[in-house]
Amino acid sequence: MERKIENVKQRASLRDIAAETGVSIATVSRVLNDHVNVAQRTRDLVLQAVERRRHEVATRTRTVYVRCPYVLTDYFGLIVSSIAETLKLHGLRLVLDAGESGQGTGALRDLPGTDDVDAAILILPPEEGDELVALSRAGYPFVVVDPRILPLPDIASVSAAHFAGARAVADHLIELGHRDIAVIAGPEEWLAGDARLAGHRAALAQAGVLLAPERLRHVEPTTAHGRSAAAELLDLEPRPSAIVCFNDKVAVGTLQAARERGLRVPEDLSVAGFDDIDLAEATSPPLTTVRQPLQEMGRIAVTQLMRVLDGHQPEALHIELATTLVVRESTAAR
C-alpha cells in the first residue's frame, strides 16, 4: 500500500483520481491511506483507477521538466545541453522552461498536479527553501543543480566544490607573492557566493592575512557590475596588487576597469576568475580561473534523477564535483 501511495503522489493528484471515479477527494485519500470506513466496492473502484494510471505511466515515455529561470548563456547553456543529451540517451523526453521571465511564477507549486510531467531538474532555483521542502514532501521527484541555498535534507543536489576551488585560486595568488588581494564576491544570499568567499578567506588566513572590509565587494555576477566594483577597488590607496573575482564575467569587467586606468595585467595587477567559460580564453590576457565541471553536473543530475524515478534512493544526496585551477596569463608574480 505504501508503494501505491508514493506512486499516486508522484504521478497523479488525488483530484484526478476523484474525477475519474466520481468519488470525493477525501474518499480517495481514505482508500490510499487504508482507512477501514470505506465500502469495498468504492475501495476497489479507486484502486483500479490507481492501477490504470500506473500502467499508463509505465507504458508512455517519461517526461522531465528542466527549469533554468535565467538566460541560457555559456554557463547555463552548457548545463542544460548536457542534461538534454543525457536525458535523450535514457529515452526520456525533456520539457524546458528557461529565461528570466520564469522567475517568481510559482511553477514549483503546480508540479505535483501535472500529469504529463514525471519529474524535474531545477537549476539554481530562486525559490525559498520552504517551497523546495514542500515539493519534496508532496512526493515529487526532482534534483537541484547548483543550489542557491544550503542543501536541504532529503533533497538531491549536485554542485561544484566552490570552497575548494576558491581556496585554490587564492593560494595561487599567495604563492606568487600577493598579499594585498581584493575580492569581488557574488551575492551574499547565494550559497556559491558564501562558499567561494570562505575559500578566499581561508587561504588568506593561512598566509596570515585578513581580508579588510574595504577590499571586499558583493555584486551580481555580470561584466558591468564587475567593472563598477573593480573601479572602486582600483581607486583605493594603496591599490590592491590582485583581484580575485566571483566568476569570469566579473573578471572581464575588472580587466576593463584596469585598462581604463592605464594598468597592465598582469604586470600592474593580477586578475583571476571562476567557471572557465569560453570567454576566459578569449580575453586579453587570457584569464587564470577555476574550471567548473558544468557538463558533468548535468550528467550527474540526470543519473540521480533516474535512480529516484526507478524507486531507489540516490547513492549520495549532496554531490560536490571537483574543480580545477587553470593558470593563464592574467596572473603573475608580485
Side-chain angles (χ1 to χ4, degrees):
M1 179 58 69
E2 289 179 357
R3 186 64 179 168
K4 290 180 180 178
I5 294 171
E6 178 185 350
N7 283 331
V8 170
K9 285 181 177 178
Q10 293 178 356
R11 313 299 186 194
S13 68
L14 298 180
R15 184 179 294 104
D16 296 326
I17 298 296
E20 181 177 339
T21 57
V23 302
S24 68
I25 294 175
T27 299
V28 174
S29 178
R30 285 197 295 270
V31 171
L32 296 178
N33 287 285
D34 207 21
H35 288 182
V36 296
N37 58 335
V38 180
Q40 187 60 46
R41 181 176 179 280
T42 301
R43 184 183 303 276
D44 292 342
L45 187 67
V46 170
L47 292 179
Q48 287 169 9
V50 170
E51 289 301 322
R52 281 195 298 273
R53 286 183 172 273
R54 291 181 64 194
H55 178 72
E56 290 171 2
V57 169
T59 56
R60 69 174 172 82
T61 300
R62 292 186 293 189
T63 299
V64 176
Y65 169 74
V66 177
R67 183 167 187 257
C68 181
Y70 309 94
V71 176
L72 294 184
T73 58
D74 38 12
Y75 179 89
F76 291 113
L78 285 172
I79 297 173
V80 170
S81 295
S82 177
I83 289 171
E85 292 168 359
T86 310
L87 288 173
K88 187 175 182 180
L89 287 174
H90 285 283
L92 301 179
R93 192 169 69 95
L94 177 148
V95 172
L96 176 62
D97 179 8
E100 294 179 341
S101 62
Q103 296 185 16
T105 60
L108 301 192
R109 291 192 295 271
D110 298 332
L111 282 177
T114 306
D115 283 348
D116 57 351
V117 175
D118 300 283
I121 296 176
L122 311 175
I123 302 172
L124 193 63
E127 287 79 14
E128 297 292 334
D130 55 356
E131 290 191 55
L132 298 175
V133 170
L135 187 61
S136 177
R137 288 177 178 170
Y140 195 84
F142 69 98
V143 174
V144 175
V145 178
D146 201 10
R148 183 178 293 208
I149 60 176
L150 286 172
L152 299 166
D154 302 324
I155 294 178
S157 66
V158 57
S159 65
H162 298 293
F163 177 92
R167 179 160 190 168
V169 73
D171 281 336
H172 165 69
L173 290 170
I174 290 167
E175 288 169 4
L176 291 174
H178 294 276
R179 292 298 182 271
D180 191 353
I181 301 173
V183 176
I184 304 180
E188 294 183 78
E189 66 274 15
W190 285 22
L191 173 63
D194 287 344
R196 292 180 196 177
L197 179 56
H200 298 321
R201 288 188 188 276
L204 290 169
Q206 184 68 30
V209 179
L210 293 178
L211 179 61
E214 64 271 15
R215 258 45 179 172
L216 172 64
R217 297 292 186 278
H218 287 277
V219 301
E220 291 294 321
T222 67
T223 299
H225 283 94
R227 179 182 176 185
S228 176
E232 294 178 6
L233 293 169
L234 293 176
D235 288 342
L236 294 174
E237 290 292 343
R239 185 181 67 236
S241 66
I243 298 179
V244 61
C245 303
F246 176 75
N247 68 0
D248 294 338
K249 290 184 178 181
V250 170
V252 169
T254 300
L255 293 176
Q256 293 174 351
R259 280 197 298 271
E260 291 167 357
R261 284 155 180 77
L263 299 175
R264 299 167 300 162
V265 176
E267 293 85 355
D268 302 318
L269 176 73
S270 284
V271 178
F274 204 107
D275 289 344
D276 196 30
I277 58 178
D278 289 345
L279 184 64
E281 289 188 276
T283 58
S284 180
L287 274 174
T288 291
T289 187
V290 176
R291 179 176 298 150
Q292 287 202 71
L294 301 176
Q295 293 173 304
E296 185 65 12
M297 286 163 60
R299 287 191 286 267
I300 293 294
V302 175
T303 300
Q304 285 184 295
L305 191 64
M306 289 299 298
R307 287 190 59 83
V308 175
L309 282 171
D310 291 338
H312 306 294
Q313 284 293 324
E315 293 181 355
L317 273 178
H318 311 308
I319 298 176
E320 281 194 355
L321 300 180
T323 55
T324 305
L325 177 65
V326 181
V327 178
R328 298 195 180 100
E329 289 80 24
S330 67
T331 53
R334 174 65 172 150

